[in-house]
Amino acid sequence: MRHPKTLIAIALLATPLAGCASDGDWVELKGVRIAVEIADEHAERQRGLMFRDRLERGTGMVFVHEREQPLAYWMKNTRIPLDILYFDAQRRLVSVSNAPPCSAERCPPYPARGPAMYVLELNAGEAESLGLVPGDTLTLGPGVPERGAP
């Protein structure tokens, strides 16, 4: 029989932590570090934050596209309200969209106001609380793939 402390340690290691960024990945906005999950492949970007019941404060998901282009995100099967932040290849903020949850078959798209390469999704209201304005720069942590010019 295993020791009770060993069982607790195994249980803790096997339990996924909601909103916790794997490998300590992060981005930074206005001096605030945000733990992120990275979606840099098509299937990851397509699933995004679908079916999640919550997103921990101070965490998010960063979507990395192959090139700067017109982008529009939608919230199908997304259960939490989010801020969608679009950044160009130089990682300057292009626009912010506030998106409510949507479980309908036809959810509205939220297009960027200009070409974008990086998208950051945060809990609704976090962009406002950070005081973000177009042109603010996104700093990528070492684990986040860079595809555009810094």
Side-chain angles (χ1 to χ4, degrees), residues 21-92:
S22 64
D23 302 320
D25 296 320
W26 54 270
V27 297
E28 195 172 283
L29 282 167
K30 290 200 158 184
V32 175
R33 191 166 284 190
I34 301 162
V36 293
E37 295 176 57
I38 301 169
D40 62 345
E41 295 178 7
H42 179 72
E44 294 168 333
R45 289 190 301 262
Q46 197 170 28
R47 181 165 174 90
L49 292 170
M50 286 183 176
F51 306 108
R52 305 267 183 109
D53 291 320
R54 62 187 250 180
L55 182 63
E56 295 295 325
R57 183 169 164 75
T59 68
M61 181 173 276
V62 64
F63 299 78
V64 182
H65 292 268
E66 285 76 23
R67 67 188 189 297
E68 187 178 83
Q69 60 191 316
L71 293 174
Y73 274 46
W74 65 324
M75 303 298 290
K76 184 176 181 184
N77 297 319
T78 304
R79 300 174 179 162
I80 49 180
L82 297 171
D83 287 342
I84 305 171
L85 291 70
Y86 294 96
F87 297 87
D88 64 16
Q90 289 75 38
R91 298 187 304 277
R92 292 181 305 233

Side-chain angles (χ1 to χ4, degrees), residues 4 9 12 52 64 93 97 141-142 149:
L12 287 174
R52 305 267 183 109
V64 182
L93 182 62
S97 294

Side-chain angles (χ1 to χ4, degrees), residues 3 6 8 11 13-15 36 38 47-48 57 60 63 69 73 78 94 102-103 125 128 141-142 146:
H3 191 276
T6 303
I8 292 170
L13 289 173
T15 303
V36 293
I38 301 169
R47 181 165 174 90
R57 183 169 164 75
F63 299 78
Q69 60 191 316
Y73 274 46
T78 304
V94 173
C102 184
S103 59
E128 184 178 353
E146 289 188 54

